[in-house]
Amino acid sequence: MLTTRRRVAAAAVILSGSLLLTSCGDSDSGASDGKTLRLWHYEGPDSAMGQAWKEAVKEFEATHPGVKVKVEEKGFEQIQKTASMVLNSSDAPDLMEYNKGNATAGLLSKQGLLTDLTAETTERGWDKKLSAGVSTTSRYDTDGIMGSGKWYGMPNYAEYTMVYYNKDLFAKYKIAEPKTFDQLTAAMDTFAEKGVTPLANGGAEYVAQQYLYQLALSRADRSWVDAYELYKGKTDFHDEAWTYAADTFADWVEKGYISEKSTSAKAEDAGVSFIQGKAPILFSGSWWYGRFQAEATFDWDTTLWPGSDLTLGSGGNLWVVPKNAANKDLAYDFIDITLSKKIQNLLGNKGGVPVAADASAITDPKSKKLISDFNTLSGRNGLAFYPDWPVNGFYDVLVSETQKLMTGAEKPDDYLSALQQAYDKGAPKR
């Protein structure tokens, strides 16, 4: 999604002129003295991933005497918009966090900008540490479509979406904590009647479109997801699932469940409104979990979206090794460390969803619940990826069209027609 980070990203660092396209180069381009690993990522320092990777840097330097890791924090949108240009130059980093999916990692693999990790994956046993659902986004075919082909990326965490709710606010207004979809809508009705906007939202980024996609998933099944995300069938945006989603989302705005004022809000605004105790409910991803543990001063809990076997989720963003990386062996070693028990267990206890942790080593109660709910979801094959993944540029389409739906500038039927047109234009002919 695009998800997904959009997220709690580190502050963007402006790309300098030196990152402009210079030359295609070959796999050996760039300066390599074997003593520096250049690593780009966009996780916040307080996030579970940020904390785990900081420890991984220490572990790496301790096991590689004389080698230093140069961490360069980038903004999510910055990497998203400039990756093709930077990776096609001699200034590519050795290792980079990148968003997974057809329109992102898949597109870079198709363009020949990523290193094929298949041999390293097999030799180091990384593939044995990932479930089938999590590994889907690591492999891409020659068309850049996820789910099969060569390994071009490696996650060391997983992610999924859930309903976060402020237990103190529910108690204040004497509202039952939601266990069913009817209870969730009843709670939103009561909050709205009390003058409290129930749902935190960010219409300018991914949050709004993920509400809508989840509504569609509640009326969908695995074959529907496979058709939409993997092109294993026809996608009709006027079908029952999408129509229900668009109609319900528009209705929620009209009822005051979602503020029209949030049309221009970003994901960070939605998360902060929950942290500050202003919004009783936020539907978003596990990437917020560690931050809420660290910053929220009220009692809160989570639940999987009630009444749906499917929700947004996948393996986490990927470690990718640029084709032009100068120190590939160092990059492979760092990936290996992030998949070690030590780092995986730390990630789990800091509010992340590890892919290879020792379950008995996870001691934090909230972290145990986070991982337990993920196991429930994974066990029923419930990871349904993200709505922006299928075609290149679809994220921006979803943002702009969903904003129009929120403001009433576009009716649900026209909204769905616009999505259909953009999807059909970008989807591969298979």
Side-chain angles (χ1 to χ4, degrees):
M1 96 154 197
L2 227 161
T3 46
T4 318
R5 280 222 277 271
R6 338 135 244 219
R7 329 211 203 275
V8 199
V13 179
I14 299 175
L15 286 174
S16 67
S18 64
L19 295 188
L20 294 176
L21 176 62
T22 55
S23 63
C24 293
D26 57 25
S27 61
D28 295 321
S29 64
S32 172
D33 58 6
K35 296 184 181 300
T36 303
L37 172 68
R38 292 180 61 215
L39 186 160
W40 287 8
H41 76 76
Y42 44 77
E43 302 297 338
D46 293 330
S47 70
M49 284 70 71
Q51 293 180 73
W53 297 348
K54 183 178 180 180
E55 187 63 29
V57 169
K58 294 180 181 178
E59 184 78 9
F60 178 91
E61 291 182 342
T63 56
H64 293 72
V67 180
K68 294 294 182 182
V69 179
K70 183 179 180 182
V71 178
E72 300 177 38
E73 293 181 347
K74 306 292 181 179
F76 176 86
E77 298 287 345
Q78 176 190 10
I79 291 181
Q80 180 72 17
K81 294 181 182 302
T82 63
S84 293
M85 177 178 68
V86 173
L87 298 193
N88 203 23
S89 76
S90 60
D91 202 55
D94 300 310
L95 183 63
M96 182 174 80
E97 179 189 12
Y98 197 62
N99 197 33
K100 64 278 179 201
N102 303 336
T104 46
L107 178 63
L108 294 189
S109 71
K110 182 180 179 181
Q111 292 173 336
L113 298 177
L114 300 182
T115 299
D116 176 6
L117 302 178
T118 304
E120 292 294 327
T121 298
T122 302
E123 181 178 340
R124 295 175 183 256
W126 296 339
D127 53 334
K128 303 295 192 299
K129 297 185 177 185
L130 305 183
S131 68
V134 170
S135 66
T136 298
T137 56
S138 294
R139 302 173 64 196
Y140 297 88
D141 65 16
T142 54
D143 291 322
I145 307 305
M146 64 184 180
S148 64
K150 297 177 180 179
W151 293 74
Y152 284 101
M154 186 58 54
N156 73 306
Y157 68 98
E159 59 185 37
Y160 68 101
T161 51
M162 68 203 79
V163 178
Y164 293 91
Y165 60 95
N166 183 325
K167 297 183 70 172
D168 288 355
L169 282 179
F170 273 76
K172 176 181 178 180
Y173 290 99
K174 297 180 173 57
I175 300 173
E177 295 173 11
K179 302 299 181 185
T180 67
F181 185 73
D182 287 344
Q183 289 176 352
L184 178 62
T185 54
M188 293 192 293
D189 272 332
T190 303
F191 279 121
E193 289 168 2
K194 300 292 185 180
V196 178
T197 302
L199 296 176
N201 182 51
E205 293 183 341
Y206 64 90
V207 183
Q209 61 184 257
Q210 291 188 0
Y211 277 114
L212 199 142
Y213 187 53
Q214 179 58 67
L215 288 167
L217 290 175
S218 70
R219 298 296 178 91
D221 58 18
R222 176 52 57 181
S223 63
W224 184 95
V225 174
D226 288 347
Y228 177 62
E229 299 279 1
L230 305 177
Y231 316 115
K232 295 181 178 179
K234 180 176 174 56
T235 290
D236 177 8
F237 281 87
H238 291 278
D239 66 10
E240 192 271 341
W242 279 113
T243 300
Y244 166 77
D247 287 344
T248 301
F249 185 84
D251 183 56
W252 283 7
V253 175
E254 185 174 344
K255 288 180 175 178
Y257 297 173
I258 295 171
S259 173
E260 187 178 322
K261 294 180 180 178
S262 66
T263 301
S264 59
K266 296 184 178 296
E268 175 72 6
D269 300 322
V272 168
S273 70
F274 185 78
I275 291 171
Q276 293 177 342
K278 296 177 180 178
I281 303 168
L282 169 66
F283 173 71
S284 197
S286 51
W287 48 89
W288 290 102
Y289 209 90
R291 184 171 176 187
F292 290 169
Q293 283 181 298
E295 298 183 24
T297 59
F298 51 84
D299 192 13
W300 58 274
D301 205 346
T302 63
T303 182
L304 294 174
W305 187 272
S308 178
D309 288 337
L310 298 168
T311 197
L312 297 79
S314 69
N317 285 322
L318 303 172
W319 288 127
V320 298
V321 179
K323 189 69 173 178
N324 286 347
N327 296 288
K328 294 184 180 181
D329 287 339
L330 295 180
Y332 305 150
D333 287 351
F334 188 86
I335 294 172
D336 206 48
I337 288 173
T338 67
L339 286 167
S340 68
K341 289 292 185 184
K342 178 181 179 180
I343 302 303
Q344 287 287 294
N345 293 343
L346 174 63
L347 192 153
N349 277 309
K350 293 297 184 180
V353 184
V355 297
D358 181 352
S360 64
I362 309 301
T363 57
D364 178 78
K366 280 193 178 299
S367 295
K368 281 181 175 290
K369 185 178 189 303
L370 175 72
I371 296 169
S372 175
D373 280 352
F374 175 77
N375 290 338
T376 296
L377 188 64
S378 182
R380 67 190 188 206
N381 196 21
L383 297 176
F385 312 121
Y386 295 90
D388 58 287
W389 281 10
V391 298
N392 190 32
F394 205 46
Y395 175 78
D396 293 333
V397 173
L398 282 166
V399 168
S400 62
E401 294 299 328
T402 305
Q403 286 178 315
K404 294 175 186 176
L405 189 62
M406 289 180 63
T407 62
E410 199 164 63
K411 298 301 181 184
D413 188 64
D414 294 329
Y415 169 80
L416 296 172
S417 293
L419 297 190
Q420 186 78 63
Q421 182 179 7
Y423 181 92
D424 289 345
K425 181 179 179 180
K429 304 299 183 288
R430 295 168 72 88

